[in-house]
Amino acid sequence: MKNKRLFVRMLAGTVGLGVLTTFILAGIVSCAGYDAFGAKPSNSRLAQIEHSPQWHDGQFVNPQPQWQNGLGAWRDFLFGDSVKGAVPEEPVPTVKPNPALLSSPSQSGLRVTWFGHSSLLVQLADKNILIDPLWGKRFSPISFAGPAPWYPPGIELKDLPPVDAVLISHDHYDHLDYATVMALKSGATRFIVPPGVGAHLESWGIAENRIIELDWWQSVALGEVTITATPARHKSGRFFGQANKTLWAGYALSSTKNRVWYSGDTGFHNDLATIGERLGPFDLTLIDAGQYDANWPDTHLGPELAVLAHRLVRGKKMMPVHWGLIQEARHPWTEPAERVIAAARCQKVSVLIPRPGESIEPSLTAATERWWPHQRWHSAKEHPVIATENGDPDRRVVAPTCSSI
């Protein structure tokens, strides 16, 4: 009887999900939201990506397959208890960026401003580089559904210093924001993206000569700054039929004085130590540490493996990103920061967590003050998130253990 009731609930949930999907699709078409879908690579662009070492049988694939507990994820989504503290109950403490400060040279040659999630301004040497910028009002193809930010960036794009380049890690809506791209359309800013993502940009009117596609380990020089795409373990796609037709990547940024590594969205993978050997050490790492779930442990690092990744790439100071702006997973919104701090204490890693909108120079910033509220969160022992080694749930990554986490 119990199993029968569960079946009925799941069937009802599936039917309801189908109705919801139909409603959303109708809304997308009626609102002309399909523009945000972008375009599949074709013609010369498709011919180019077919030569990528990551391209197999008509799509990009991870060298280490990903595993997910699809049934468990749907069960939690449809029938799981609500997560207390998943969204802020009070306004998130933010800093209004100072345009005059951002337009002035940094003292150390490296200044970083975090706008929440993975949206960043990296000012390295004399270059102003936006990473996965989010200036839109909803990170979705439609205006009435999908993740909406808890607060605005605090500064208009036009008030930033001239942006030399925009780095896009992959084409998911919370990293490639249509509204932000359109706001940057009229300028001369270059877009540095993984293979295939350029097709989206071209369909939105970005000139081909402003788009640079980098496969893993490929580099481009912007004056004194060199940008290298690095491997990641993730996936891509903006609509049905687009899954994994574009690649995903992280980026290493280096000048004569400083080096920064941005992980992009990624699960734990075997190339992390190689990134450190070939491109490190890094003065600062910007690492995917939020929006994780035990049902899909290979999609995002999670806090503990983010700290381990920082060590493997030979980072000096770590800034956790991919948290603090929107809800995409079933954990309290402050939990990534708490668990990163606990794991960093265990692994003797220096962590910087600036307030959204706050600018820091890593070499001149010994520590940052706690700004997020105290609330209940789950430790790594309570809710472990441990990646698989090669897509097999019975073989997991061995992560450092510590009684405090």
Side-chain angles (χ1 to χ4, degrees), residues 202-398:
E202 281 193 81
S203 75
W204 298 336
I206 303 298
E208 184 178 3
N209 62 7
R210 292 173 57 192
I211 302 169
I212 301 170
E213 291 191 336
L214 296 180
D215 207 331
W216 295 350
W217 303 116
Q218 291 181 340
S219 301
V220 64
L222 301 179
E224 182 188 330
V225 175
T226 299
I227 298 172
T228 304
T230 59
R233 187 185 187 189
H234 201 56
K235 53 191 175 181
S236 66
R238 295 176 73 83
F239 196 58
F240 303 118
Q242 288 188 358
N244 300 335
K245 300 300 183 182
T246 65
L247 190 56
W248 43 92
Y251 293 99
L253 297 78
S254 63
S255 68
T256 56
K257 293 178 60 178
N258 296 283
R259 296 181 183 182
V260 180
W261 180 62
Y262 170 53
S263 68
D265 275 13
T266 185
F268 195 84
H269 60 86
N270 292 335
D271 281 312
L272 291 166
T274 305
I275 292 170
E277 292 166 2
R278 292 177 61 168
L279 302 170
F282 297 101
D283 300 280
L284 181 69
T285 63
L286 308 164
I287 303 188
D288 171 10
Q291 314 307 332
Y292 46 83
D293 193 292
N295 286 314
W296 21 277
D298 298 333
T299 303
H300 297 285
L301 284 163
E304 293 74 36
L305 291 180
V307 175
L308 177 57
H310 165 86
R311 293 175 55 203
L312 288 172
V313 301
R314 299 198 297 157
K316 297 177 183 177
K317 293 182 179 179
M318 172 187 173
M319 181 189 297
V321 299
H322 206 253
W323 76 284
L325 182 67
I326 54 177
Q327 181 193 4
E328 295 181 304
R330 291 173 50 79
H331 60 66
W333 80 271
T334 60
E335 186 176 286
E338 303 285 12
R339 285 175 61 162
V340 162
I341 289 172
R345 186 181 303 116
C346 169
Q347 300 183 48
K348 298 180 172 55
V349 167
S350 177
V351 176
L352 300 175
I353 306 181
R355 291 170 293 176
E358 182 177 2
S359 299
I360 63 168
E361 297 193 34
S363 65
L364 305 179
T365 307
T368 49
E369 295 182 355
R370 179 193 179 95
W371 50 265
W372 57 95
H374 291 276
Q375 62 178 34
R376 176 75 173 92
W377 55 278
H378 304 287
S379 69
K381 288 185 177 180
E382 293 173 299
H383 287 182
V385 180
I386 305 174
T388 70
E389 290 184 355
N390 206 35
D392 182 350
D394 294 325
R395 298 183 62 185
R396 304 281 181 147
V397 172
V398 178

Side-chain angles (χ1 to χ4, degrees), residues 21-355:
T21 301
T22 302
F23 173 74
I24 290 175
L25 289 176
I28 289 171
V29 173
S30 65
C31 296
Y34 55 82
D35 286 346
F37 296 159
K40 291 182 183 179
S42 61
N43 301 325
S44 61
R45 196 173 293 283
L46 178 60
Q48 181 178 351
I49 67 175
E50 286 175 341
H51 288 89
S52 169
Q54 283 61 250
W55 183 264
H56 299 279
D57 298 324
Q59 65 179 352
F60 286 104
V61 300
N62 291 291
Q64 293 170 259
Q66 292 179 304
W67 172 81
Q68 66 178 19
N69 178 5
L71 181 61
W74 276 113
R75 182 192 61 233
D76 290 348
F77 175 74
L78 293 171
F79 310 117
D81 295 333
S82 62
V83 178
K84 184 175 177 57
V87 299
E89 296 180 357
E90 301 291 337
V92 176
T94 62
V95 173
K96 188 174 179 59
N98 183 344
L101 172 67
L102 297 180
S103 296
S104 65
S106 62
Q107 296 181 53
S108 63
L110 172 61
R111 179 194 293 133
V112 177
T113 307
W114 180 55
F115 300 104
H117 204 59
S118 300
S119 182
L120 299 140
L121 173 64
V122 175
Q123 297 179 279
L124 182 61
D126 62 344
K127 301 302 179 187
N128 301 307
I129 300 167
L130 282 173
I131 296 179
D132 287 347
L134 298 177
W135 259 256
K137 295 183 178 180
R138 195 178 290 275
F139 312 127
S140 162
I142 49 180
S143 62
F144 57 85
W150 300 327
Y151 50 86
I155 186 171
E156 299 292 334
L157 283 168
K158 63 181 179 59
D159 294 328
L160 292 175
V163 176
D164 296 287
V166 174
L167 306 188
I168 300 296
S169 62
H170 64 298
D171 71 0
H172 285 162
Y173 289 96
D174 60 324
H175 294 262
L176 177 60
D177 178 42
Y178 173 72
T180 304
V181 172
M182 296 305 288
L184 294 166
K185 179 179 175 179
S186 62
T189 300
R190 284 167 286 186
F191 290 81
I192 299 173
V193 301
V197 176
H200 296 314
L201 299 177
E202 281 193 81
S203 75
W204 298 336
I206 303 298
E208 184 178 3
N209 62 7
R210 292 173 57 192
I211 302 169
I212 301 170
E213 291 191 336
L214 296 180
D215 207 331
W216 295 350
W217 303 116
Q218 291 181 340
S219 301
V220 64
L222 301 179
E224 182 188 330
V225 175
T226 299
I227 298 172
T228 304
T230 59
R233 187 185 187 189
H234 201 56
K235 53 191 175 181
S236 66
R238 295 176 73 83
F239 196 58
F240 303 118
Q242 288 188 358
N244 300 335
K245 300 300 183 182
T246 65
L247 190 56
W248 43 92
Y251 293 99
L253 297 78
S254 63
S255 68
T256 56
K257 293 178 60 178
N258 296 283
R259 296 181 183 182
V260 180
W261 180 62
Y262 170 53
S263 68
D265 275 13
T266 185
F268 195 84
H269 60 86
N270 292 335
D271 281 312
L272 291 166
T274 305
I275 292 170
E277 292 166 2
R278 292 177 61 168
L279 302 170
F282 297 101
D283 300 280
L284 181 69
T285 63
L286 308 164
I287 303 188
D288 171 10
Q291 314 307 332
Y292 46 83
D293 193 292
N295 286 314
W296 21 277
D298 298 333
T299 303
H300 297 285
L301 284 163
E304 293 74 36
L305 291 180
V307 175
L308 177 57
H310 165 86
R311 293 175 55 203
L312 288 172
V313 301
R314 299 198 297 157
K316 297 177 183 177
K317 293 182 179 179
M318 172 187 173
M319 181 189 297
V321 299
H322 206 253
W323 76 284
L325 182 67
I326 54 177
Q327 181 193 4
E328 295 181 304
R330 291 173 50 79
H331 60 66
W333 80 271
T334 60
E335 186 176 286
E338 303 285 12
R339 285 175 61 162
V340 162
I341 289 172
R345 186 181 303 116
C346 169
Q347 300 183 48
K348 298 180 172 55
V349 167
S350 177
V351 176
L352 300 175
I353 306 181
R355 291 170 293 176

